[in-house]
């Protein structure tokens, strides 16, 4: 019964999806070609690809978390705060447990413990946001604006706003390992996360519940889905991914800071929307989000190669692209509606 | 009985009670709360968030949310300031207000167009335009702290009266910008209370489809609303730089959260349809007293941001909980 309905609905949805993916692929190709033509000697180099592979995993992983919450019809604006708070807790633990210059075999268990603490912190931060949204029925926007302030505030409070640097050498050594002399560890983590979450969404019961909840939360409730538990788990997952991103940021910068990566919040929303996640919930795929991450990284790295473009133009470009994509998607869906209406007559 | 229950189901009395208790507490600890100069200082700190809260409250009442109004205020005042400085303007400050309001109107109209006519989600749109405006200011205008024209400096020095605290030898001036706040509040009161447009803002926040069927022009109302927010932000920008006597482009950064938190704390329903100016003003007053007295009530400055976050969460949680319980009691009434 369930399968039959899914098959009837599938062709329509699939066509829309494939068009979106095709558009994203074209965009990716255009941005790449543009940068390759304008800055060939800098852009199409192994060094550039190496540095891009080290840059995007941290915000890419957070963007996947934000996408999950947007599929349920919510949003998580607290990802950056969660990432920094988790990283700072891990850093504090490392400072406390690992003496300076300790041999690796002595430091390793504490580093593992610190990583676990960070992940637990991410889960707890997410669970708190999920609880506020599902149990206390605070709109996700306000709840996560609040948690973002709260987590960043706690991070400032426990560090007095100072960066936590001088981590054990072993941590950044592990964090910056390159496999086959090519792929940084963070890139592999991103791959695992992207493939894992894509699989979760497409093939698990939980993934299906997310789409159902995002399409119509009341219908999902009456269909017997435990909305509260699904929402809490979604935000916990987003929190967990944020803490992974926090650990990656800490390895790359070799320090943790309460206000690190502030522009990432907007960037994550932009990536999700660009990648085809509907801000009102119920639609979107991780493949699209991943393509959007690549588009953004190409743009960002490419722009860096123009000395006369100020860094602040990045804000203009991110804001502008976000709005253009929204407008474009809206116009497309309006055209599709009109066509459908005509066919109906 | 019912009226009493209804009275205490609102947020305003509770916020007022919190303000009274807090001020008595601070008075007891420092003895300096109920002094002329402290009250004038509070009123001074109140002006800018107060002006911003009017538009913010109306947007939330209409069921939307705007996080770009601080970026609008900063960019509008900065462009105005630069143009007036470069043209060597010597005249009246009214032109500065008009220009800044005009730039605010343009930016608000962009928001309005995207939200009212393309029906895009308000949060994502205003996140985007906010980033756009901030980026334009720092990128295209390479903004940095700058002087202000003489007219604005003079406007900043206008004082209504001076309160002197003879104990500490401190004195504080009541800035004339408070009159702008009072005027805007009065106009907003008239708009919300006595015009069809104002009732329309409440109507579309309550139920957009129902408002449309009842004959409200939803698009026009939303367009007007976001333009109005832009105009108010532009005016706020000039008030701010006149009181500071220089134009700091990052002066508004992060203030949107405090304002939104205060509006919600003041009883404006986060899903739209409910909210009063009185509540908003009380909410801002509570936030300002809290922010100015964190140390007095024993919270170190490093924790102030965590504190804002906690206030947002508790404030929105309480209002959201109230809505949920109202729904529940209505449902129970129907059953009996």
């Amino acid at each position: 019964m369930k399968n039959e309905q899914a098959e009837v609905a599938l062709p329509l949805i699939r066509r829309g999806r494939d068009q979106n993916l095709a558009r994203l692929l074209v965009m990716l190709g255009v941005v790449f070609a543009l940068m390759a033509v304008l800055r060939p000697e800098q852009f199409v180099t192994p060094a550039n690809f190496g540095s891009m592979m080290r840059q995007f995993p941290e915000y890419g992983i957070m963007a996947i978390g934000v996408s999950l919450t947007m599929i349920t019809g919510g949003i998580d604006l607290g990802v950056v705060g969660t990432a920094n708070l988790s990283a700072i807790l891990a850093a504090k633990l490392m400072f406390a447990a690992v003496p300076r210059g300790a041999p690796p075999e002595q430091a390793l268990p504490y580093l593992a413990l610190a990583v676990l603490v960070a992940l637990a912190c991410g889960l707890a931060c997410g669970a708190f946001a999920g609880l506020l949204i599902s149990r206390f029925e605070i709109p996700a926007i306000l709840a996560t604006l609040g948690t973002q302030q709260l987590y960043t505030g706690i991070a400032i409070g426990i560090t007095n706003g100072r960066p936590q640097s001088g981590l054990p050498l072993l941590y950044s050594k592990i964090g910056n390992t390159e496999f086959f002399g090519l792929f940084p560890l963070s890139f592999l983590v991103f791959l695992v996360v992207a493939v894992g979450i894509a699989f979760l969404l497409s093939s698990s019961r939980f993934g299906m519940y997310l789409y159902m909840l995002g399409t119509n939360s009341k219908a999902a409730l009456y269909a017997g889905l435990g909305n509260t538990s699904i929402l809490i788990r979604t935000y916990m997952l987003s929190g967990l991914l944020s803490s992974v991103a926090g650990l990656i940021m800490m390895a790359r910068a070799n320090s943790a800071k309460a206000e690190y990566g502030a522009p990432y919040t907007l960037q994550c929303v932009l990536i999700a929307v660009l990648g085809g996640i509907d801000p009102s919930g119920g639609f979107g795929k991780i493949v699209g989000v991943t393509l959007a991450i690549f588009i953004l990284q190409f743009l960002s790295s490419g722009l860096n190669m123009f000395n006369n473009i100020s860094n602040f133009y990045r804000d203009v470009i991110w804001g502008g692209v976000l709005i253009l994509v929204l407008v474009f998607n809206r116009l497309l869906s309006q055209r599709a509606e009109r066509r459908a209406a005509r066919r109906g007559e | 009985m019912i009226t009493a229950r209804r009275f205490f189901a609102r947020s305003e009395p509770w916020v007022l009670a919190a303000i009274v208790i807090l001020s008595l507490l601070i008075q007891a600890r420092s003895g300096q709360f109920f002094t002329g100069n402290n009250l004038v200082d509070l009123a001074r700190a109140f002006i800018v968030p107060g002006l911003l809260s009017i538009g913010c409250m109306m947007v939330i009442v209409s069921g939307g949310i705007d996080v770009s109004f601080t970026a609008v205020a900063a960019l509008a005042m900065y462009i105005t300031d630069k143009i007036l400085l470069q043209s060597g303007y010597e005249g009246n400050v009214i032109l500065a207000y008009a220009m800044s309001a005009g730039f605010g109107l343009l930016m608000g109209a962009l928001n309005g167009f995207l939200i009212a006519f393309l029906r895009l989600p308000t949060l994502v749109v205003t996140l985007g335009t906010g980033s756009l405006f901030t980026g334009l200011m720092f990128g295209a205008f390479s903004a940095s702290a700058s002087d202000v024209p003489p007219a604005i400096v003079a406007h900043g020095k206008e004082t209504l009266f001076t309160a002197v605290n003879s104990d500490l030898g401190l004195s504080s001036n009541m800035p004339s910008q408070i009159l702008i706040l009072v005027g805007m509040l009065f106009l907003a009161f008239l708009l919300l209370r006595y015009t069809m447009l104002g009732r329309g803002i409440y109507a579309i926040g309550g139920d957009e489809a129902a408002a449309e069927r009842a004959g409200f022009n939803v698009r026009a109302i939303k367009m007007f609303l976001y333009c109005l927010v832009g105009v108010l932000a532009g005016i706020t920008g000039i008030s701010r730089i006149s009181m500071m006597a220089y134009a700091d482009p990052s002066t508004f950064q992060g203030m949107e959260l405090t304002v939104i938190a205060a509006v919600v704390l003041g009883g404006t329903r986060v899903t739209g349809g409910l909210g009063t100016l009185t509540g908003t003003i009380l909410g801002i007053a509570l936030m300002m007293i809290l922010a100015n007295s964190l140390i007095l009530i024993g919270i170190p400055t490093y924790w102030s941001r965590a504190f804002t976050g906690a206030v947002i969460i508790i404030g929105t949680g309480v209002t959201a909980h109230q809505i949920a319980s109202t729904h529940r009691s209505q449902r129970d009434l129907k059953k009996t």
Side-chain angles (χ1 to χ4, degrees), chain B residues 2-48:
Chain B
I2 287 169
T3 47
R5 213 167 75 188
R6 211 178 254 177
F7 181 73
F8 285 107
R10 303 189 63 94
S11 302
E12 289 93 331
W14 298 110
V15 179
L16 187 62
I19 293 176
V20 171
I21 293 170
L22 193 68
S23 40
L24 289 176
L25 195 77
I26 299 166
Q27 173 69 22
R29 283 187 79 145
S30 69
Q32 296 300 326
F33 189 85
F34 292 106
T35 53
N37 83 309
N38 186 51
L39 294 177
V40 169
D41 280 345
L42 278 176
R44 193 185 172 89
F46 184 83
I47 295 171
V48 166

Side-chain angles (χ1 to χ4, degrees), chain A residues 10-314:
Chain A
L10 215 54
L12 252 175
I13 296 173
R14 187 171 280 166
R15 197 165 56 207
R17 285 285 76 86
D18 284 351
Q19 273 180 1
N20 184 43
L21 286 185
R23 273 209 306 275
L24 286 170
L25 276 173
V26 169
M27 260 177 103
L28 187 67
V30 168
V31 172
F32 183 83
L34 201 69
M35 294 304 168
V37 168
L38 290 175
R39 286 287 182 275
E41 71 288 354
Q42 283 167 290
F43 194 77
V44 202
T45 57
N48 182 39
F49 278 87
S51 81
M52 286 199 289
M53 264 193 282
R54 272 188 294 277
Q55 282 168 25
F56 77 79
E58 50 192 51
Y59 66 81
I61 291 174
M62 282 194 266
I64 291 178
V66 174
S67 303
L68 285 175
T69 59
M70 282 172 82
I71 288 175
T72 67
I75 196 165
D76 192 348
L77 301 172
V79 283
V80 178
T82 308
N84 288 326
L85 182 60
S86 310
I88 282 170
L89 285 187
K92 285 266 175 200
L93 196 145
M94 286 181 206
F95 291 139
V98 184
R100 258 178 200 285
E105 60 275 10
Q106 192 194 332
L108 195 60
Y110 291 109
L111 294 193
L113 183 67
V115 168
L116 284 181
V117 165
L119 298 182
C121 169
L123 281 174
C125 288
F128 182 59
L131 197 71
L132 292 176
I133 292 161
S134 61
R135 265 263 151 2
F136 294 90
E137 296 171 56
I138 307 178
I141 298 169
L142 283 165
T144 57
L145 272 178
T147 54
Q148 164 72 11
Q149 287 296 301
L150 183 67
Y151 301 155
T152 309
I154 293 175
I156 294 175
I158 57 180
T159 59
N160 285 355
R162 279 192 288 271
Q164 306 295 298
S165 42
L167 302 171
L169 284 175
L170 185 65
Y171 181 75
S172 62
K173 210 173 143 193
I174 296 176
N176 294 313
T177 320
E178 291 191 349
F179 291 86
F180 314 113
L182 195 63
F183 301 110
L185 178 65
S186 54
F187 176 73
L188 296 183
V189 172
F190 172 80
L191 275 189
V192 170
V193 165
V195 172
I197 300 290
F199 180 78
L200 185 79
L201 281 180
S202 63
S203 315
S204 77
R205 185 186 295 238
F206 179 68
M208 190 184 210
Y209 286 169
L210 282 195
Y211 287 110
M212 286 166 76
L213 183 66
T215 313
N216 189 336
S217 69
K218 206 168 257 177
L221 189 68
Y222 288 141
L225 269 63
N227 286 12
T228 309
S229 125
I230 295 172
L231 278 177
I232 293 181
R233 276 187 281 163
T234 310
Y235 284 88
M236 279 173 84
L237 195 52
S238 168
L240 181 71
L241 294 180
S242 309
S243 61
V244 172
L247 289 169
I248 293 175
M249 288 200 275
M250 182 164 70
R252 192 161 82 92
N254 203 15
S255 69
K257 194 173 176 245
E259 292 174 277
Y260 195 78
Y264 283 163
T265 311
L266 178 76
Q267 220 166 305
C268 289
V269 177
L270 164 60
I271 288 171
V273 173
L274 181 64
I277 308 275
D278 185 342
S280 49
F283 280 103
K285 272 187 172 174
I286 297 300
V287 191
V289 175
T290 311
L291 286 177
I293 294 169
F294 292 156
I295 294 175
L296 230 74
Q297 184 60 51
F298 285 168
L299 254 178
S300 160
S301 288
L303 287 173
N304 257 349
M305 291 163 190
F306 295 84
N307 294 330
N308 49 348
I309 295 184
S310 142
N311 245 342
F312 292 112
Y313 276 108
R314 204 156 296 197

Side-chain angles (χ1 to χ4, degrees), chain B residues 282-326:
Chain B
L282 287 174
I284 294 271
L286 182 58
M287 286 297 271
M288 285 300 109
I289 295 175
L290 279 173
N292 282 7
S293 331
L294 279 180
I295 299 168
L296 281 176
I297 53 175
I299 294 171
T301 31
Y302 285 122
W303 287 93
S304 63
R305 185 130 169 214
F307 186 75
T308 318
V311 170
I312 298 179
I313 291 172
I314 296 168
T316 50
V318 168
T319 22
H321 183 75
Q322 274 177 346
I323 299 163
S325 51
T326 333

